[in-house]
Coordinates of all heavy atoms in Angstrom, one line a residue:
M154 N 2.2 2.2 9.5 CA 2.9 1.1 8.9 C 2.6 0.9 7.5 O 1.5 1.3 7.0 CB 2.7 -0.2 9.8 CG 1.3 -0.7 9.6 SD 1.0 -2.0 10.8 CE 0.7 -1.1 12.3
A155 N 3.4 0.2 6.8 CA 3.1 -0.2 5.4 C 1.9 -1.2 5.5 O 1.6 -1.8 6.5 CB 4.3 -0.8 4.7
L156 N 1.4 -1.4 4.3 CA 0.3 -2.4 4.2 C 0.9 -3.6 3.4 O 1.9 -3.5 2.7 CB -0.9 -1.9 3.5 CG -1.5 -0.7 4.2 CD1 -2.8 -0.3 3.5 CD2 -1.8 -0.9 5.7
K157 N 0.2 -4.8 3.6 CA 0.6 -5.9 2.8 C -0.6 -6.6 2.2 O -1.7 -6.5 2.7 CB 1.4 -6.9 3.6 CG 0.6 -7.6 4.7 CD 1.5 -8.6 5.5 CE 0.7 -9.2 6.6 NZ 1.5 -10.1 7.4
I158 N -0.3 -7.3 1.1 CA -1.4 -8.0 0.4 C -1.3 -9.5 0.8 O -0.3 -10.1 0.7 CB -1.3 -7.8 -1.1 CG1 -1.5 -6.3 -1.4 CG2 -2.3 -8.7 -1.9 CD1 -1.2 -5.9 -2.9
L159 N -2.5 -10.0 1.2 CA -2.5 -11.4 1.6 C -2.5 -12.4 0.4 O -2.9 -12.0 -0.7 CB -3.7 -11.6 2.5 CG -3.9 -10.7 3.7 CD1 -5.1 -11.2 4.5 CD2 -2.6 -10.8 4.6
D160 N -2.2 -13.6 0.7 CA -2.1 -14.6 -0.4 C -3.5 -14.8 -1.0 O -3.6 -15.4 -2.1 CB -1.7 -16.0 0.2 CG -0.2 -15.9 0.6 OD1 0.5 -15.0 0.2 OD2 0.2 -16.8 1.4
S161 N -4.6 -14.4 -0.4 CA -5.9 -14.6 -1.0 C -6.2 -13.6 -2.1 O -7.2 -13.7 -2.8 CB -7.0 -14.4 0.1 OG -6.8 -13.2 0.8
C162 N -5.3 -12.7 -2.4 CA -5.4 -11.8 -3.5 C -5.8 -12.5 -4.8 O -5.2 -13.5 -5.2 CB -4.1 -11.0 -3.8 SG -3.9 -10.1 -5.3
I163 N -6.8 -11.9 -5.5 CA -7.3 -12.6 -6.8 C -6.7 -11.9 -8.0 O -7.2 -12.1 -9.1 CB -8.8 -12.6 -6.8 CG1 -9.4 -11.2 -6.7 CG2 -9.3 -13.6 -5.7 CD1 -10.9 -11.1 -6.9
N164 N -5.7 -11.0 -7.9 CA -5.1 -10.3 -9.0 C -6.1 -9.6 -9.9 O -6.0 -9.6 -11.1 CB -4.3 -11.3 -9.9 CG -3.1 -11.9 -9.1 OD1 -2.7 -11.4 -8.1 ND2 -2.5 -13.0 -9.6
C165 N -7.0 -8.9 -9.2 CA -8.1 -8.2 -10.0 C -7.6 -6.9 -10.6 O -8.3 -6.3 -11.4 CB -9.3 -8.0 -9.1 SG -9.0 -6.7 -7.9
D166 N -6.4 -6.4 -10.1 CA -5.8 -5.2 -10.7 C -6.5 -3.9 -10.3 O -6.4 -2.9 -11.0 CB -5.7 -5.3 -12.2 CG -4.7 -4.3 -12.8 OD1 -3.8 -4.0 -12.1 OD2 -5.0 -3.9 -13.9
M167 N -7.4 -4.0 -9.3 CA -8.1 -2.7 -8.9 C -7.2 -1.8 -8.1 O -7.3 -0.6 -8.2 CB -9.3 -3.1 -8.0 CG -10.4 -3.8 -8.7 SD -11.3 -2.8 -9.8 CE -12.2 -1.7 -8.7
C168 N -6.3 -2.3 -7.3 CA -5.5 -1.5 -6.4 C -4.3 -0.8 -7.1 O -3.9 0.3 -6.8 CB -5.0 -2.3 -5.2 SG -4.0 -3.8 -5.7
D169 N -3.6 -1.6 -8.0 CA -2.4 -1.1 -8.6 C -2.5 0.3 -9.2 O -1.7 1.2 -8.9 CB -2.0 -2.1 -9.7 CG -0.9 -1.7 -10.6 OD1 -0.2 -0.7 -10.3 OD2 -0.6 -2.3 -11.6
P170 N -3.5 0.6 -10.1 CA -3.5 2.0 -10.7 C -4.0 3.0 -9.7 O -3.8 4.2 -10.0 CB -4.6 1.8 -11.8 CG -5.4 0.6 -11.4 CD -4.5 -0.3 -10.7
E171 N -4.5 2.7 -8.5 CA -5.0 3.6 -7.6 C -3.9 4.1 -6.6 O -4.1 5.1 -5.9 CB -6.2 3.1 -6.8 CG -7.4 2.7 -7.6 CD -8.0 3.9 -8.3 OE1 -7.9 5.0 -7.8 OE2 -8.5 3.7 -9.4
C172 N -2.8 3.4 -6.5 CA -1.8 3.8 -5.5 C -1.1 5.0 -5.9 O -0.5 5.1 -7.0 CB -0.8 2.6 -5.3 SG 0.5 3.1 -4.2
P173 N -1.1 6.1 -5.1 CA -0.4 7.4 -5.5 C 1.1 7.3 -5.5 O 1.7 8.2 -6.0 CB -1.0 8.3 -4.4 CG -1.2 7.5 -3.2 CD -1.7 6.2 -3.8
N174 N 1.6 6.2 -4.9 CA 3.1 6.1 -4.8 C 3.7 5.1 -5.7 O 4.9 4.8 -5.7 CB 3.5 5.8 -3.4 CG 3.1 6.9 -2.4 OD1 2.9 8.0 -2.8 ND2 2.9 6.5 -1.2
G175 N 2.9 4.4 -6.5 CA 3.4 3.4 -7.4 C 4.0 2.2 -6.6 O 4.9 1.6 -7.0
A176 N 3.4 2.0 -5.4 CA 4.0 1.0 -4.5 C 3.5 -0.4 -4.8 O 4.0 -1.4 -4.2 CB 3.6 1.4 -3.1
I177 N 2.5 -0.6 -5.6 CA 1.9 -1.9 -5.9 C 2.2 -2.4 -7.2 O 2.0 -1.7 -8.3 CB 0.3 -1.8 -5.7 CG1 -0.1 -1.2 -4.4 CG2 -0.3 -3.2 -5.9 CD1 -1.6 -1.0 -4.2
T178 N 2.8 -3.6 -7.2 CA 3.2 -4.2 -8.5 C 2.8 -5.7 -8.5 O 2.6 -6.3 -7.4 CB 4.7 -4.1 -8.8 OG1 5.4 -4.7 -7.7 CG2 5.1 -2.7 -9.0
L179 N 2.7 -6.3 -9.7 CA 2.4 -7.7 -9.7 C 3.6 -8.5 -9.5 O 4.6 -8.3 -10.3 CB 1.8 -8.0 -11.1 CG 1.3 -9.5 -11.3 CD1 0.3 -9.9 -10.3 CD2 0.8 -9.7 -12.7
G180 N 3.6 -9.3 -8.5 CA 4.8 -10.2 -8.2 C 4.7 -11.5 -9.0 O 4.0 -11.5 -9.9
E181 N 5.4 -12.5 -8.5 CA 5.4 -13.7 -9.2 C 4.0 -14.4 -9.2 O 3.7 -15.0 -10.2 CB 6.4 -14.7 -8.6 CG 7.9 -14.3 -8.9 CD 8.9 -15.3 -8.6 OE1 8.5 -16.5 -8.4 OE2 10.1 -15.0 -8.7
E182 N 3.3 -14.2 -8.1 CA 2.0 -14.9 -8.1 C 0.8 -13.9 -7.8 O -0.2 -14.0 -8.4 CB 2.0 -16.0 -7.0 CG 2.9 -17.1 -7.4 CD 2.8 -18.3 -6.4 OE1 2.1 -18.2 -5.4 OE2 3.6 -19.3 -6.6
I183 N 1.1 -13.0 -6.9 CA 0.0 -12.0 -6.6 C 0.6 -10.6 -6.6 O 1.8 -10.4 -6.7 CB -0.6 -12.3 -5.2 CG1 0.5 -12.3 -4.1 CG2 -1.4 -13.6 -5.3 CD1 -0.1 -12.4 -2.7
Y184 N -0.3 -9.6 -6.4 CA 0.2 -8.2 -6.3 C 0.9 -8.1 -4.9 O 0.6 -8.7 -3.9 CB -1.0 -7.3 -6.4 CG -1.3 -7.0 -7.8 CD1 -2.1 -7.8 -8.5 CD2 -0.8 -5.9 -8.5 CE1 -2.4 -7.6 -9.8 CE2 -1.1 -5.6 -9.8 CZ -1.9 -6.5 -10.5 OH -2.2 -6.2 -11.8
E185 N 1.9 -7.2 -5.0 CA 2.8 -6.9 -3.8 C 2.9 -5.4 -3.5 O 2.8 -4.6 -4.5 CB 4.2 -7.6 -4.0 CG 4.1 -9.1 -4.2 CD 5.5 -9.6 -4.6 OE1 6.4 -8.8 -4.9 OE2 5.6 -10.9 -4.6
I186 N 3.2 -5.1 -2.3 CA 3.4 -3.7 -1.9 C 4.8 -3.5 -1.5 O 5.4 -4.2 -0.7 CB 2.4 -3.3 -0.7 CG1 1.0 -3.3 -1.2 CG2 2.8 -1.9 -0.2 CD1 -0.1 -3.1 -0.1
D187 N 5.4 -2.5 -2.1 CA 6.8 -2.1 -1.7 C 6.8 -1.3 -0.4 O 6.3 -0.2 -0.4 CB 7.4 -1.3 -2.9 CG 8.9 -0.9 -2.7 OD1 9.3 -1.0 -1.5 OD2 9.5 -0.5 -3.7
V188 N 7.4 -1.8 0.6 CA 7.4 -1.2 1.9 C 8.0 0.2 1.8 O 7.6 1.1 2.5 CB 8.2 -2.1 2.9 CG1 8.4 -1.3 4.2 CG2 7.4 -3.4 3.1
D189 N 9.0 0.4 1.0 CA 9.7 1.7 0.9 C 8.9 2.7 0.3 O 9.2 3.9 0.3 CB 11.0 1.5 0.1 CG 12.0 0.7 0.9 OD1 12.0 0.7 2.1 OD2 12.9 0.0 0.2
K190 N 7.8 2.4 -0.4 CA 6.9 3.3 -1.1 C 5.5 3.5 -0.5 O 4.8 4.5 -0.8 CB 6.8 2.9 -2.6 CG 8.1 3.0 -3.4 CD 7.8 2.7 -4.8 CE 9.1 2.8 -5.7 NZ 8.8 2.4 -7.1
C191 N 5.1 2.6 0.4 CA 3.8 2.7 1.0 C 3.8 3.6 2.1 O 4.5 3.5 3.1 CB 3.3 1.3 1.4 SG 1.7 1.4 2.2
T192 N 2.9 4.6 2.0 CA 2.8 5.6 3.1 C 1.4 5.6 3.8 O 1.1 6.5 4.5 CB 2.9 7.1 2.5 OG1 1.9 7.2 1.5 CG2 4.3 7.3 1.9
E193 N 0.7 4.5 3.6 CA -0.7 4.4 4.1 C -1.5 5.5 3.4 O -2.6 5.9 3.9 CB -0.8 4.5 5.6 CG -0.4 3.3 6.3 CD -0.6 3.4 7.8 OE1 -1.7 3.8 8.2 OE2 0.4 3.1 8.5
C194 N -1.0 6.0 2.3 CA -1.7 7.1 1.5 C -1.7 8.5 2.2 O -2.4 9.4 1.8 CB -3.1 6.7 1.2 SG -3.2 5.5 -0.2
I195 N -0.9 8.6 3.3 CA -0.7 9.9 4.0 C -0.3 10.9 3.0 O 0.6 10.7 2.1 CB 0.3 9.8 5.2 CG1 -0.5 9.2 6.4 CG2 0.9 11.1 5.5 CD1 0.4 9.0 7.6
G196 N -0.9 12.1 3.0 CA -0.5 13.2 2.0 C -1.4 13.1 0.8 O -1.4 14.1 0.0
H197 N -2.1 12.0 0.6 CA -3.0 11.9 -0.6 C -4.4 11.7 -0.2 O -5.3 12.4 -0.7 CB -2.5 10.8 -1.5 CG -1.2 11.0 -2.2 ND1 0.0 10.6 -1.8 CD2 -1.0 11.7 -3.4 CE1 0.9 11.0 -2.7 NE2 0.4 11.7 -3.6
Y198 N -4.7 10.7 0.7 CA -6.0 10.4 1.0 C -6.2 10.2 2.5 O -5.2 10.0 3.2 CB -6.4 9.0 0.3 CG -6.3 9.1 -1.1 CD1 -5.3 8.2 -1.8 CD2 -7.0 9.9 -2.0 CE1 -5.2 8.2 -3.2 CE2 -6.9 9.9 -3.3 CZ -6.0 9.1 -3.9 OH -5.8 9.1 -5.3
D199 N -7.4 10.3 3.0 CA -7.6 10.1 4.4 C -7.4 8.7 4.9 O -7.2 8.5 6.1 CB -9.1 10.5 4.8 CG -9.3 12.0 4.6 OD1 -8.3 12.8 4.7 OD2 -10.4 12.5 4.5
K200 N -7.6 7.7 4.0 CA -7.3 6.3 4.4 C -6.7 5.6 3.2 O -6.8 6.1 2.1 CB -8.6 5.7 4.8 CG -9.8 5.7 3.8 CD -11.0 5.2 4.4 CE -12.2 5.2 3.4 NZ -13.4 4.6 3.9
P201 N -6.1 4.5 3.4 CA -5.5 3.7 2.4 C -6.4 3.4 1.2 O -7.4 2.7 1.4 CB -4.9 2.5 3.1 CG -4.8 2.9 4.5 CD -5.9 3.8 4.7
T202 N -6.1 3.9 0.1 CA -7.0 3.7 -1.1 C -7.0 2.3 -1.6 O -8.1 1.8 -2.1 CB -6.7 4.7 -2.2 OG1 -7.8 4.8 -3.1 CG2 -5.5 4.4 -2.9
C203 N -5.9 1.6 -1.4 CA -5.9 0.2 -1.9 C -6.9 -0.7 -1.0 O -7.5 -1.6 -1.6 CB -4.5 -0.4 -1.8 SG -3.7 -0.3 -0.2
V204 N -7.0 -0.3 0.2 CA -7.9 -1.0 1.1 C -9.4 -0.7 0.6 O -10.2 -1.6 0.6 CB -7.8 -0.6 2.6 CG1 -8.8 -1.2 3.4 CG2 -6.4 -1.0 3.1
S205 N -9.6 0.5 0.3 CA -10.9 0.9 -0.1 C -11.4 0.2 -1.4 O -12.6 -0.1 -1.5 CB -11.0 2.4 -0.4 OG -10.7 3.1 0.8
V206 N -10.5 0.0 -2.3 CA -10.9 -0.5 -3.6 C -10.8 -2.0 -3.7 O -11.4 -2.7 -4.6 CB -10.1 0.0 -4.8 CG1 -10.2 1.6 -4.9 CG2 -8.6 -0.4 -4.7
C207 N -10.2 -2.7 -2.8 CA -10.0 -4.1 -2.9 C -11.4 -4.8 -2.6 O -12.0 -4.6 -1.6 CB -9.0 -4.6 -1.8 SG -8.8 -6.4 -1.9
P208 N -11.8 -5.6 -3.6 CA -13.2 -6.2 -3.4 C -13.2 -7.4 -2.4 O -14.3 -7.8 -2.0 CB -13.5 -6.7 -4.9 CG -12.1 -7.0 -5.5 CD -11.2 -5.9 -4.9
I209 N -12.1 -7.9 -2.1 CA -12.1 -9.0 -1.1 C -11.4 -8.7 0.2 O -11.2 -9.7 1.0 CB -11.5 -10.3 -1.8 CG1 -10.0 -10.1 -2.1 CG2 -12.3 -10.7 -3.0 CD1 -9.3 -11.4 -2.4
D210 N -11.1 -7.5 0.4 CA -10.5 -7.1 1.7 C -9.3 -7.8 2.1 O -9.2 -8.3 3.2 CB -11.6 -7.2 2.8 CG -11.3 -6.5 4.1 OD1 -10.5 -5.5 4.0 OD2 -11.7 -6.9 5.2
C211 N -8.4 -7.9 1.2 CA -7.1 -8.7 1.4 C -5.9 -7.9 1.6 O -4.8 -8.4 1.6 CB -6.9 -9.8 0.4 SG -6.3 -9.1 -1.2
V212 N -6.1 -6.5 1.8 CA -4.9 -5.7 2.1 C -5.0 -5.3 3.6 O -6.0 -4.8 4.1 CB -5.0 -4.4 1.2 CG1 -3.7 -3.6 1.4 CG2 -5.2 -4.7 -0.2
K213 N -3.9 -5.7 4.3 CA -3.9 -5.6 5.8 C -2.7 -4.9 6.2 O -1.7 -4.8 5.5 CB -4.0 -7.0 6.4 CG -5.3 -7.7 6.0 CD -6.5 -7.1 6.5 CE -7.8 -7.9 6.2 NZ -9.0 -7.2 6.6
P214 N -2.7 -4.4 7.5 CA -1.5 -3.8 8.0 C -0.3 -4.8 8.1 O -0.5 -5.9 8.4 CB -1.9 -3.4 9.5 CG -3.4 -3.2 9.4 CD -3.8 -4.2 8.4
D215 N 0.9 -4.3 7.7 CA 2.1 -5.1 7.8 C 2.7 -5.0 9.1 O 3.5 -4.0 9.3 CB 3.0 -4.7 6.6 CG 4.2 -5.6 6.5 OD1 4.4 -6.5 7.4 OD2 5.0 -5.4 5.6
T216 N 2.4 -5.9 10.0 CA 2.9 -5.7 11.4 C 4.4 -5.9 11.5 O 5.0 -5.6 12.6 CB 2.2 -6.7 12.3 OG1 2.3 -8.0 11.8 CG2 0.7 -6.3 12.5
D217 N 5.1 -6.4 10.5 CA 6.5 -6.5 10.5 C 7.2 -5.2 10.1 O 8.4 -5.0 10.2 CB 7.0 -7.6 9.5 CG 6.6 -9.0 9.9 OD1 6.5 -9.2 11.1 OD2 6.4 -9.8 9.1
N218 N 6.4 -4.2 9.6 CA 6.9 -2.9 9.2 C 6.1 -1.8 9.8 O 5.4 -1.0 9.2 CB 6.9 -2.8 7.7 CG 7.9 -3.7 7.1 OD1 9.1 -3.5 7.2 ND2 7.5 -4.8 6.4
V219 N 6.1 -1.7 11.2 CA 5.4 -0.7 11.9 C 6.1 0.7 11.8 O 7.3 0.8 12.0 CB 5.2 -1.1 13.4 CG1 4.5 0.0 14.1 CG2 4.5 -2.4 13.5
E220 N 5.3 1.7 11.4 CA 5.9 3.0 11.2 C 4.9 4.1 11.8 O 3.7 3.9 11.5 CB 6.1 3.4 9.7 CG 7.1 2.4 9.1 CD 7.0 2.4 7.6 OE1 5.9 2.2 7.1 OE2 8.0 2.7 6.9
N221 N 5.4 5.1 12.4 CA 4.5 6.1 12.9 C 4.2 7.2 11.9 O 4.8 7.1 10.8 CB 5.0 6.7 14.2 CG 6.3 7.5 14.0 OD1 6.6 7.9 12.9 ND2 7.0 7.6 15.1
E222 N 3.3 8.1 12.2 CA 2.9 9.1 11.2 C 4.1 10.0 10.7 O 4.2 10.3 9.5 CB 1.8 10.0 11.7 CG 1.2 10.9 10.7 CD -0.1 11.5 11.2 OE1 -0.8 10.9 12.0 OE2 -0.5 12.6 10.6
E223 N 5.0 10.3 11.6 CA 6.2 11.1 11.3 C 7.0 10.4 10.2 O 7.5 11.0 9.2 CB 7.0 11.3 12.6 CG 8.1 12.3 12.4 CD 8.9 12.5 13.7 OE1 8.7 11.7 14.6 OE2 9.7 13.4 13.8
V224 N 7.2 9.1 10.4 CA 8.0 8.3 9.4 C 7.3 8.2 8.1 O 7.9 8.4 7.0 CB 8.3 6.9 10.0 CG1 8.9 6.0 9.0 CG2 9.2 7.0 11.2
L225 N 6.0 8.0 8.1 CA 5.2 8.0 6.9 C 5.3 9.3 6.2 O 5.4 9.3 4.9 CB 3.8 7.5 7.2 CG 3.6 6.1 7.7 CD1 2.2 5.9 8.2 CD2 4.0 5.1 6.7
L226 N 5.2 10.4 6.9 CA 5.2 11.7 6.3 C 6.6 12.0 5.6 O 6.7 12.5 4.5 CB 4.9 12.8 7.3 CG 3.5 13.3 7.4 CD1 3.3 14.2 8.5 CD2 3.0 13.9 6.1
A227 N 7.7 11.5 6.3 CA 9.0 11.7 5.8 C 9.1 10.9 4.5 O 9.8 11.3 3.5 CB 10.0 11.2 6.8
K228 N 8.5 9.7 4.4 CA 8.5 8.9 3.2 C 7.8 9.6 2.1 O 8.2 9.6 1.0 CB 7.9 7.5 3.5 CG 8.3 6.4 2.6 CD 7.5 5.1 2.8 CE 7.7 4.5 4.2 NZ 7.0 3.1 4.2
F229 N 6.6 10.2 2.4 CA 5.9 11.0 1.5 C 6.7 12.1 0.9 O 6.7 12.3 -0.4 CB 4.6 11.5 2.1 CG 3.9 12.6 1.3 CD1 3.1 12.2 0.3 CD2 4.1 13.9 1.6 CE1 2.4 13.2 -0.5 CE2 3.4 14.9 0.8 CZ 2.6 14.5 -0.2
I230 N 7.4 12.8 1.7 CA 8.3 13.9 1.3 C 9.4 13.4 0.4 O 9.8 14.0 -0.7 CB 8.8 14.7 2.5 CG1 7.6 15.5 3.1 CG2 9.9 15.7 2.0 CD1 7.9 16.1 4.5
R231 N 10.0 12.3 0.8 CA 11.1 11.7 0.0 C 10.6 11.3 -1.4 O 11.3 11.5 -2.4 CB 11.7 10.5 0.7 CG 12.7 9.7 -0.1 CD 13.4 8.6 0.7 NE 12.5 7.6 1.2 CZ 11.9 6.6 0.5 NH1 12.2 6.5 -0.8 NH2 11.1 5.7 1.0
L232 N 9.4 10.8 -1.4 CA 8.8 10.3 -2.7 C 8.3 11.4 -3.6 O 8.4 11.3 -4.8 CB 7.7 9.3 -2.5 CG 8.0 7.9 -1.9 CD1 6.8 7.2 -1.4 CD2 8.8 7.1 -2.9
H233 N 7.8 12.5 -3.0 CA 7.1 13.5 -3.8 C 7.8 14.9 -3.7 O 7.3 15.8 -4.3 CB 5.7 13.6 -3.4 CG 4.9 12.3 -3.6 ND1 4.5 11.9 -4.9 CD2 4.6 11.3 -2.8 CE1 3.9 10.7 -4.8 NE2 4.0 10.3 -3.6
G234 N 8.8 15.0 -2.8 CA 9.5 16.3 -2.7 C 8.6 17.3 -2.0 O 8.7 18.5 -2.2
Ligands
SF4_539 S1 -1.8 2.3 1.4 FE1 -1.7 3.8 -0.3 S2 0.5 4.1 -0.6 FE2 0.2 2.2 0.5 S3 0.1 0.6 -1.1 FE3 -2.0 1.2 -0.6 S4 -2.5 2.8 -2.1 FE4 -0.3 2.6 -2.1
SF4_540 S1 -7.5 -5.1 -5.2 FE1 -7.2 -6.7 -3.7 S2 -7.6 -8.6 -4.8 FE2 -7.3 -7.0 -6.3 S3 -5.2 -7.1 -6.9 FE3 -5.4 -5.6 -5.3 S4 -5.0 -6.8 -3.4 FE4 -5.4 -8.2 -5.0

């Protein structure tokens, strides 16, 4: 599934440049993840890199957007050919 950033985000800007899909952008108040671009880092890393770099652990699974590995891989192929 895609990931989401919680309201506790402190806008530290650590995650944005690390996302291989350009899925993270600064929204009106905090950073946000584009569901259509988040692949859980499948195809790039063994685990979500935004989770790894976030200093306050505020990136969590988006249970409203549950996707299996097949769907995530298809998204990776669509984004990167
Ligand atoms: S899990 Fe990976 S693809 Fe998804 S937002 Fe985080 S860094 Fe980007
Ligand atoms: S690394 Fe965490 S606290 Fe920093 S901008 Fe990203 S989600 Fe927010």
Side-chain angles (χ1 to χ4, degrees):
M154 68 189 80
L156 302 187
K157 67 178 178 183
I158 295 173
L159 303 183
D160 291 344
S161 52
C162 169
I163 57 172
N164 293 345
C165 73
D166 196 33
M167 292 289 287
C168 55
D169 170 12
E171 299 298 329
C172 177
N174 297 335
I177 304 174
T178 55
L179 182 58
E181 287 195 9
E182 294 186 359
I183 58 170
Y184 276 84
E185 299 171 348
I186 292 175
D187 183 340
V188 172
D189 291 333
K190 293 182 178 177
C191 177
T192 58
E193 287 185 47
C194 287
I195 277 179
H197 288 98
Y198 304 114
D199 291 339
K200 55 185 181 178
T202 196
C203 55
V204 174
S205 300
V206 301
C207 181
I209 63 165
D210 194 25
C211 73
V212 188
K213 300 295 182 185
D215 183 353
T216 52
D217 290 332
N218 290 291
V219 177
E220 299 160 304
N221 62 25
E222 188 166 336
E223 188 179 15
V224 171
L225 292 171
L226 265 175
K228 202 187 296 188
F229 167 79
I230 291 168
R231 174 173 60 77
L232 289 168
H233 299 282

